[in-house]
Amino acid sequence: MALIDNLPSSTGKRSKEANKIIAKEITDKSDHKSIKELLKLLDNKDRNIQSDSIEVLYETGYLKPDLIADYYEIFLELLNNKNNRLVWGAMIALSSISKIVPEDIFKVLPIITKAFEKGSVITKDAGVSVYVNLARIKNQKAEVLPILFDELKKCPDKQLAQYAEKSNIAIDEESKETFLEIINLRLKSLEKESQIKRLKKVIKSITDRYS
């Protein structure tokens, strides 16, 4: 049976869990053939099939990013797609890929940034993860951290704690003061106790690490 026949959009059983199960099966078998089939299905005329395909691909990326890493250029092309589901799904895939080939993704940083600036909340959430992974590489920090810090300055309050938590691992001794200055400034305007608590935890983590 072809992989397309097992997708929820084909079986009529719409479920995120179903796509996760397919991704797990692909990962367990290191099934490159199915990966290639899913990539072709991204061009299917049925948007539901497109959606299932990108979801299985990024779920596979969560589990084993090296299975999709060689196809990062395809995901980059999807960032310009008219189907927003494919755009944010591609950015999620790239967030996993950027963990293992950050130098390759750094080379196309302008494409990532352009998609990030005009992207949905989910696109931005995944895009921050890309920035963090790129900024962890020493010779890339100088270019990527200012982009990440700019987003920390202007992102909505409800995204701030999440972004600060993600950014934590990319902060070194040289960048800690700028990071803490941004976070402390944003902290003053927050109203929700849960958000304040999460940010204070990030501040403590950075402070303790470099005390």
Side-chain angles (χ1 to χ4, degrees), residues 14 31 56 69 84 126 131-132 140 151 176 191 208 211:
R14 299 295 299 168
D31 189 352
V56 175
N84 187 52
Y131 290 151
V132 170
Q140 298 177 178
E151 186 57 28
K176 68 175 182 179
E191 296 180 355
D208 289 349
S211 59

Side-chain angles (χ1 to χ4, degrees), residues 8-168:
S9 49
S10 297
T11 63
K13 299 177 181 179
R14 299 295 299 168
S15 167
K16 288 182 68 67
E17 288 304 315
N19 282 328
K20 288 182 179 180
I21 291 171
I22 295 173
K24 181 66 165 56
E25 291 173 349
I26 290 173
T27 303
D28 289 344
K29 299 175 183 177
S30 292
D31 189 352
H32 292 277
K33 182 180 178 181
S34 290
I35 294 294
K36 291 179 180 179
E37 184 177 346
L38 288 164
L39 291 168
K40 290 181 180 179
L41 290 175
L42 293 172
D43 293 324
N44 195 283
K45 293 180 180 180
D46 188 333
R47 285 201 167 199
N48 290 322
I49 291 175
Q50 291 179 6
S51 295
D52 282 335
S53 298
I54 192 66
E55 185 169 7
V56 175
L57 285 165
Y58 71 66
E59 289 290 347
T60 299
Y62 283 143
L63 298 171
K64 197 172 183 181
D66 60 289
L67 284 177
I68 64 171
D70 287 345
Y71 309 104
Y72 75 87
E73 291 181 342
I74 293 175
F75 296 114
L76 284 171
E77 290 178 6
L78 289 177
L79 294 179
N80 292 315
N81 199 281
K82 293 181 180 179
N83 183 351
N84 187 52
R85 179 68 178 81
L86 292 182
V87 174
W88 59 257
M91 191 68 89
I92 293 175
L94 289 165
S95 71
S96 294
I97 293 171
S98 63
K99 292 179 182 178
I100 59 172
V101 288
E103 293 87 353
D104 290 335
I105 305 303
F106 177 70
K107 293 175 184 177
V108 293
L109 181 59
I111 298 175
I112 299 291
T113 302
K114 183 178 179 181
F116 182 95
E117 289 300 327
K118 64 180 182 180
S120 64
V121 172
I122 302 176
T123 301
K124 289 180 181 293
D125 289 350
V128 166
S129 295
V130 174
Y131 290 151
V132 170
N133 291 330
L134 300 188
R136 295 181 74 181
I137 306 303
K138 188 174 182 179
N139 63 358
Q140 298 177 178
K141 282 183 179 292
E143 187 168 346
V144 182
L145 278 181
I147 300 173
L148 181 59
F149 287 165
D150 185 58
E151 186 57 28
L152 288 172
K153 291 176 183 177
K154 66 184 182 182
C155 69
D157 288 350
K158 62 181 180 180
Q159 306 302 119
L160 179 58
Q162 177 196 160
Y163 291 178
E165 289 163 350
K166 287 182 177 182
S167 300
N168 190 337

